[in-house]
Amino acid sequence: MYSLNSLPVLLLALVNTARCYSVVREYSGQNFFDGWDFYGSWDNLTNGDIWWLNSSQAYSQQLAYVTTAGNAVIKVDNTSNVPFNEKRNTVRVTTHDSYALGSLWIVDVHHLPYGCSVWPAFWSKGVEWPQGGEIDIIEAVNVMQENQMALHTNFSCSHTTPPTGQQLGISGTGQNGPDCSTGPGCTVLETKNNSYGPGFNTNGGGVWATQFDLAGVFIWYWSRGNIPASITGATSTSDIDLSDWGVPSASYPNTTCNMTENFQNQQLVMDITLCGDWAGIGVVYNATCGSSGPTGLCYNDNVVGPGSPRYDEAYFEVSYVRAYTTGTPSPTTLPFASGNGASAATTTGATGDPSVSPAVVTNKGFGRREMGNQGLALDLLMWTVLVGVLTGVAVTL
């Protein structure tokens, strides 16, 4: 039996089992968007009041571009005057490639979108949702001050006893929070400063790293001045070592979440939506943004009308996204949905050792990411309690 205080040491042992990773793909510079698909549809996933543009529209409207410094930008339209009953344009991109267990992803971000109605995310998903699982690496809404991380799964996966220093989101309320298959998933709030909002941007941004492994899912965050030397000194071709990273910000060990049952190969996604099933629901929106307009309604007071200054800060600016692997890929069969009516999938990747060896699999499938799937009533209850955790505001249903 291990004590709670010993968990950080155990986690370091888990994540450092595979210490050295090799680059398999870098998204950066003028070619950043070459490896991504643009969604090109209204938000039929989280019911946001937006259109995610296709690539030609996004480029022509300057909602996706690369700066003179070589940073990739995706943004919300802040120049149009949107009439009532219409939607505002923005962008969602998904990698062509998917990444198997044994992968590591690093994203260097200079600016995150924020503001009333704004809901940005950088996350991963299986080709099938929710069977293939989801990892939320960067996600927040409205004027939250902290980033929130989460897992979404379709099977028996939980997050019950985080190590000392990790603050549960929904899980900390007792409202079915440990169950990763609920609408909000099993969430962890970032405890380090400047992980979202104005503080993140004025501080020069920061870096997230995510280890997707048989041992579990582990997410680190560092603000600009605290990025480990192993990352600041890395190049687009060099290996990376985890030994100076310390304890992750969020840890989901396989002791309570079977990785091969809950996760397929993962595609990376970056998107911005507005309002929708989290940022726009009354209990969440009103807690911090209800007085920002005359109606108290997310769509009416934000999406409709002029885009500036409301959405002047609603953009991602990203230096790079790097995907890494360990070792040499070897074939195996992963029973992603064993006993749940879905057939096993054959891929290359995990061999059973914590230092698993993934392959990159090219595909262009889109999954669904829809918090409402598990029942809006339950989700509203859980988000209501989360509002109290995030803001300290007493909310009455």
Side-chain angles (χ1 to χ4, degrees), residues 16 19 21 23 26 104-110 192 205-211 218-249 319-324:
N16 284 330
R19 298 173 71 90
Y21 283 78
V23 178
E26 179 179 88
L104 179 74
W105 312 306
I106 297 178
V107 58
D108 186 316
V109 183
H110 291 278
K192 295 178 181 176
V207 167
W208 281 267
T210 304
Q211 187 180 30
F218 307 94
I219 304 172
W220 289 261
Y221 165 69
W222 304 276
S223 59
R224 183 62 58 191
N226 298 305
I227 302 168
S230 60
I231 294 179
T232 58
T235 70
S236 60
T237 59
S238 63
D239 293 348
I240 195 115
D241 189 322
L242 284 62
S243 60
D244 62 346
W245 288 12
V247 176
S249 290
S319 177
Y320 64 82
V321 176
R322 288 183 187 143
Y324 295 80

Side-chain angles (χ1 to χ4, degrees), residues 237-325:
T237 59
S238 63
D239 293 348
I240 195 115
D241 189 322
L242 284 62
S243 60
D244 62 346
W245 288 12
V247 176
S249 290
S251 305
Y252 298 93
N254 65 0
T255 51
T256 56
C257 186
N258 187 302
M259 298 301 293
T260 58
E261 287 183 359
N262 286 284
F263 289 93
Q264 297 172 343
N265 297 341
Q266 298 285 293
Q267 293 171 284
L268 303 178
V269 184
M270 187 177 297
D271 71 77
I272 314 170
T273 192
L274 303 176
C275 300
D277 293 337
W278 186 13
I281 62 174
V283 68
V284 175
Y285 177 77
N286 289 326
T288 54
C289 292
S291 61
S292 63
T295 72
L297 300 174
C298 183
Y299 172 77
N300 293 30
D301 290 345
N302 296 278
V303 181
V304 175
S308 181
R310 296 170 184 166
Y311 295 113
D312 290 352
E313 297 292 337
Y315 66 93
F316 279 99
E317 183 176 352
V318 179
S319 177
Y320 64 82
V321 176
R322 288 183 187 143
Y324 295 80
T325 182

